[in-house]
Amino acid sequence: RHTRLQGDWSSDVCSSDLAYQNAMLFNCPSTIIKNAPGKLFFKKKNARLVKKKIRLLSAGWSPNALKGFRHLVWLDDNLDFDVYDFTYIGRCSYKFKHITIKPPISPELLPYEIRKHDIFIFPSELEACSNILTEALHCGLPSIAYNGSSNPEILQDAGFLFQDASEIPGRLEEIVRKYDSFQQKLPSFTISK
């Protein structure tokens, strides 16, 4: 649950900034604890881009508009689908022309589906700490995420942030060109840490 105590949820304020501001408001210590996926299932694939089409993945369990569907609609209208295949897993009330929609799948099957793809697109505009983004990174997918809330803290150098969907095609091209380099920058969050 998101509670606005002070500040706003704009793109230039990340989760740690808001936590710090709110802790100061109540004069209490705070720390950010990142989510970590289970290593048994969410493990890195041996990744190389050798396919005819680059396989993009996006996922979300809520149909809420703040999950970034406006960005997916733009991509569906503007992305070069001769170069990319795009799959969305989760609940979605939008009808896309090019993006393939798959219903939510069990947590046990999700990592196998993630590893079938090359790059993760995460358009959600409001997240406390996204499980699906950390899971995609742990499965070896460089990612492009909306520049808001916790996404910058999770993504780090393993991809790009965006404000407007029109930035995504150029970012995709750069990830494809430097795929091995982005693979080496994937963060690892552990449950023990």
Side-chain angles (χ1 to χ4, degrees):
R1 184 171 161 236
H2 301 287
T3 305
R4 275 179 52 177
L5 298 174
Q6 180 178 335
D8 63 21
W9 293 99
S10 64
S11 61
D12 60 343
V13 179
C14 65
S15 293
S16 59
D17 293 337
L18 287 170
Y20 180 75
Q21 289 172 8
N22 292 327
M24 294 300 290
L25 182 66
F26 293 107
N27 196 25
C28 62
S30 68
T31 188
I32 298 296
I33 300 172
K34 294 178 179 159
N35 290 349
K39 284 188 174 185
L40 178 63
F41 293 105
F42 295 96
K43 50 192 168 200
K44 192 173 173 182
K45 69 176 185 169
N46 295 325
R48 294 188 65 209
L49 290 178
V50 294
K51 308 290 185 252
K52 286 187 176 181
K53 283 191 174 184
I54 306 302
R55 296 161 301 172
L56 307 177
L57 177 67
S58 189
W61 307 138
S62 170
N64 186 304
L66 285 175
K67 294 298 180 179
F69 290 106
R70 67 186 175 108
H71 305 297
L72 296 179
V73 168
W74 188 93
L75 290 170
D76 191 54
D77 288 337
N78 294 281
L79 200 60
D80 184 349
F81 287 93
D82 290 331
V83 175
Y84 301 104
D85 277 328
F86 198 142
T87 301
Y88 181 87
I89 299 173
R91 293 178 182 89
C92 180
S93 56
Y94 292 84
K95 301 276 189 224
F96 294 113
K97 294 176 283 188
H98 304 285
I99 297 173
T100 302
I101 305 291
K102 292 187 176 183
I105 57 177
S106 72
E108 296 81 17
L109 296 177
L110 183 59
Y112 300 103
E113 191 65 33
I114 293 172
R115 284 193 293 272
K116 292 178 185 176
H117 296 82
D118 303 307
I119 300 171
F120 189 71
I121 308 290
F122 191 62
S124 184
E125 297 175 20
L126 185 60
E127 293 292 326
C129 185
S130 170
N131 285 334
I132 191 66
L133 181 56
T134 59
E135 292 162 352
L137 292 168
H138 273 256
C139 286
L141 276 62
S143 300
I144 297 174
Y146 183 78
N147 187 14
S149 53
S150 65
N151 295 343
E153 296 162 282
I154 296 170
L155 183 60
Q156 300 174 26
D157 294 325
F160 291 106
L161 298 168
F162 75 94
Q163 280 303 130
D164 187 85
S166 63
E167 301 168 47
I168 295 175
R171 301 298 196 196
L172 283 169
E173 290 173 12
E174 191 162 348
I175 289 176
V176 169
R177 277 195 312 272
K178 301 175 182 175
Y179 197 75
D180 292 338
S181 173
F182 282 103
Q183 284 282 303
Q184 295 170 8
K185 296 176 184 175
L186 291 165
S188 179
F189 310 118
T190 63
I191 292 173
S192 60
K193 185 176 179 184

